[in-house]
Amino acid sequence: MAAVVGRRICRLGGAPCRLERTAHSAGRLARDGAAWVAVFSTTAVWLAAVILSCSDALAAEPLSQDDYAVVTAICKPGDGEAAWASIPWEIDLWQARRRAAKEGKPIVLWEMDGHPLGCT
Amino acid sequence: MAGRASAFSDPEIIRLASESFVPVTGDDWYQRRRQDAVGEFFRGVARQGPRGGTDQGTNQGIYFFTASGKLLAYKNAGQNADVMRDVFHEALAKWNRLPADERKAGAALVPDIAASDLDPRYTRGLPEAGLVVNVFTRALERDKEGRLETCSGDTSGGFHGFQTAYDHLWLTKAEWQSLLPPEPHVGDTVPLPDEISARIARFHLTDNTRGEPNMWQPHEVLRREFTLTVSEVTEERVRLKLEGSVLLATGPDPEKAKRGYDAALLGTIELDRAGGRVRRFDLAALGDTWGSGTYTRGARPGRNPLAVVFELAEGDRPADKVPPQAMREPSRYFSASR
């Protein structure tokens, strides 16, 4: 069960998601010492419910406006994480070559598989 | 991309690159292949270094050279700022040892190139009046209370993709204009145009935090639901709330799929009613990602949170003109829904 619960996206505030609460309820029923048949029936119903909810379980929880604000804030680069972007990079080698000739400077080319200013 | 956080974040390297050199970036996938003067020039520089300058394999690295094409120094990557600083100084020393006549402004003659002389197979440009949206992707983790936080180098257990990754979403003029409902009323709900939602799902909800990502194939899009709801209408503008949900996986059964992303999306798009421009394109996706790609080995075990944030580009920086990663195949990029 834990693995299934772990695939859910819990709300950013840390509140348990729906599937996690369902699992806890089932666990309490078993611990109450009900007859084996009753436990089996309960478990079967519970398992069926889990299976039926699996497709739903693979749908991430909708985002709230608060979630949106938090996600946006922590996803984008923070202070000091984008110092490399302060370099006045050209993105056109020929243009850089013309500029270097005009200004009498050498060129530094950062060439990667996947553009250094995009891609990864 | 390690060089961002190490070498090119070093204050002295930033100063040297900005003041003593002309700094330029390139995607080797295009540059080593292009059959035009630009490609010939680059391969000529690369042939003087260890990569060999062929179009058969990667020539990536950090090159220092003159406008006439003389290689001064080379380093394969910029992971170590101390090493890279030395290479910058070595290159500058070699430059300064060149005859003054070679170094002076105007010494090298670099002709202009007509756009028609560029190899069209490896030249990309934003469609006229197209829209550029910055895309940021970041691997996240949960603290003990279940709150999301960024991964850190200390807590990532050797996982190296904890920095923000970058890409750009391009929309044609016709596409972004199609976002504006003809007669908008608050509460109206319309689907996001199919091509736009398919492009976002297939090419921009990817885990590119550890390198070049695999794009999602059409059959790997198991769920793609996007809805626009008109939330505000004034004489000048229309504001739309964008909600969505995707399930992307390399197999039909996401339980067994080796790689996937299961995410919810929320955002706001704001347009001028006159159709003149998009004022806002704010969108966030949050969900669990799992699995490694062809060039993105080293994924964290299990399923872990990944965020993708979209935000309108300012549009006037050279970086904003870098094509989307998936634009290596433009016909596919602009027909994502087919």
Side-chain angles (χ1 to χ4, degrees):
Chain A
M1 243 359 270
V4 175
V5 171
R7 277 199 295 277
R8 300 301 304 271
I9 299 301
C10 293
R11 303 308 290 264
L12 297 182
C17 58
R18 188 171 66 249
L19 200 55
E20 191 175 35
R21 286 198 293 270
T22 306
H24 290 168
S25 300
R28 278 197 296 274
L29 278 176
R31 285 195 301 275
D32 286 345
W36 275 108
V37 173
V39 170
F40 178 78
S41 303
T42 305
T43 305
V45 169
W46 172 73
L47 281 173
V50 170
I51 290 167
L52 284 172
S53 66
C54 266
S55 56
D56 177 56
L58 288 167
E61 290 281 332
L63 295 183
S64 69
Q65 286 293 347
D66 287 346
D67 297 341
Y68 172 85
V70 172
V71 168
T72 301
I74 63 176
C75 181
K76 289 164 60 179
D79 291 342
E81 288 187 310
W84 56 273
S86 67
I87 296 171
W89 297 106
E90 300 274 358
I91 60 166
D92 179 330
L93 177 58
W94 203 262
Q95 177 62 31
R97 193 183 169 205
R98 285 172 63 83
R99 206 183 113 199
K102 184 180 174 187
E103 297 177 12
K105 286 182 176 179
I107 298 163
V108 54
L109 166 65
W110 187 11
E111 168 106 353
M112 302 299 285
D113 280 310
H115 202 287
L117 306 185
C119 169
T120 68
Chain B
M1 193 162 289
R4 288 188 193 133
S6 52
F8 290 114
S9 287
D10 178 82
E12 187 178 353
I13 290 177
I14 291 173
R15 183 185 62 77
L16 286 166
S18 304
E19 297 175 6
S20 301
F21 293 83
V22 173
V24 59
T25 51
D27 184 341
D28 191 56
W29 188 89
Y30 295 95
Q31 213 109 281
R32 70 170 178 260
R33 288 178 168 90
R34 55 189 313 148
Q35 299 300 317
D36 56 18
V38 182
E40 285 165 20
F41 175 75
F42 169 66
R43 288 188 296 275
V45 171
R47 267 195 294 276
Q48 300 166 59
R51 292 291 192 187
T54 74
D55 58 3
Q56 300 302 308
T58 184
N59 286 300
Q60 70 177 0
I62 299 164
Y63 293 81
F64 301 81
F65 51 94
T66 67
S68 60
K70 184 181 290 182
L71 185 68
L72 301 169
Y74 170 86
K75 190 80 187 76
N76 62 333
Q79 286 101 332
N80 187 316
D82 292 336
V83 172
M84 205 63 229
R85 214 179 296 121
D86 288 345
V87 181
F88 263 85
H89 285 296
E90 174 197 334
L92 206 50
K94 282 190 180 174
W95 165 259
N96 286 325
R97 285 199 295 271
L98 292 174
D101 280 355
E102 274 189 52
R103 287 185 280 122
K104 70 180 183 185
L109 297 174
V110 183
D112 204 358
I113 300 182
S116 57
D117 289 336
L118 297 174
D119 186 341
R121 297 170 303 168
Y122 301 107
T123 303
R124 303 287 180 268
L126 179 69
E128 191 177 349
L131 190 74
V132 180
V133 178
N134 286 326
V135 184
F136 306 94
T137 307
R138 191 155 196 163
L140 304 176
E141 60 188 3
R142 296 186 182 90
D143 67 12
K144 290 175 182 171
E145 282 74 45
R147 289 186 295 258
L148 285 169
E149 58 185 12
T150 57
C151 301
S152 74
D154 297 332
T155 61
S156 58
F159 168 70
H160 66 275
F162 52 81
Q163 294 149 359
T164 300
Y166 298 76
D167 199 2
H168 303 96
L169 162 69
W170 279 2
L171 299 181
T172 65
K173 183 180 181 183
E175 286 168 346
W176 63 256
Q177 286 185 330
S178 73
L179 292 165
L180 187 66
E183 292 180 18
H185 301 283
V186 172
D188 285 355
T189 296
V190 292
L192 185 68
D194 197 39
E195 176 57 30
I196 298 176
S197 77
R199 188 174 308 155
I200 289 173
R202 290 186 58 201
F203 304 135
H204 294 288
L205 297 180
T206 59
D207 183 359
N208 59 347
T209 57
R210 297 181 312 283
E212 294 180 277
N214 295 79
M215 302 300 163
W216 299 107
Q217 299 301 314
H219 67 275
E220 294 174 335
V221 181
L222 305 186
R223 183 180 66 247
R224 169 168 64 88
E225 298 166 355
F226 288 82
T227 302
L228 284 171
T229 304
V230 179
S231 60
E232 186 182 328
V233 180
T234 69
E235 283 187 11
E236 294 82 29
R237 66 173 189 265
V238 174
R239 184 177 291 173
L240 304 160
K241 181 181 182 182
L242 175 56
E243 295 170 288
S245 165
V246 295
L247 177 56
L248 310 162
T250 50
D253 180 355
E255 295 278 347
K256 297 175 182 169
K258 290 184 177 175
R259 184 166 49 82
Y261 187 43
D262 175 16
L265 297 98
L266 179 67
T268 301
I269 297 172
E270 197 173 291
L271 302 107
D272 278 342
R273 290 198 73 176
R277 68 185 177 104
V278 176
R279 291 172 176 234
R280 285 177 65 186
F281 195 109
D282 296 334
L283 179 63
L286 175 65
D288 274 0
T289 184
W290 68 94
S292 296
T294 310
Y295 304 110
T296 60
R297 307 242 177 236
R300 294 172 289 175
R303 304 187 179 212
N304 297 281
L306 181 81
V308 185
V309 167
F310 298 74
E311 187 180 81
L312 204 59
E314 294 167 9
D316 51 359
R317 302 177 313 150
D320 294 334
K321 298 181 176 66
V322 171
Q325 171 74 358
M327 268 294 284
R328 288 178 180 180
E329 296 181 59
S331 60
R332 189 174 69 151
Y333 189 77
F334 286 117
S335 59
S337 62
R338 282 170 261 159

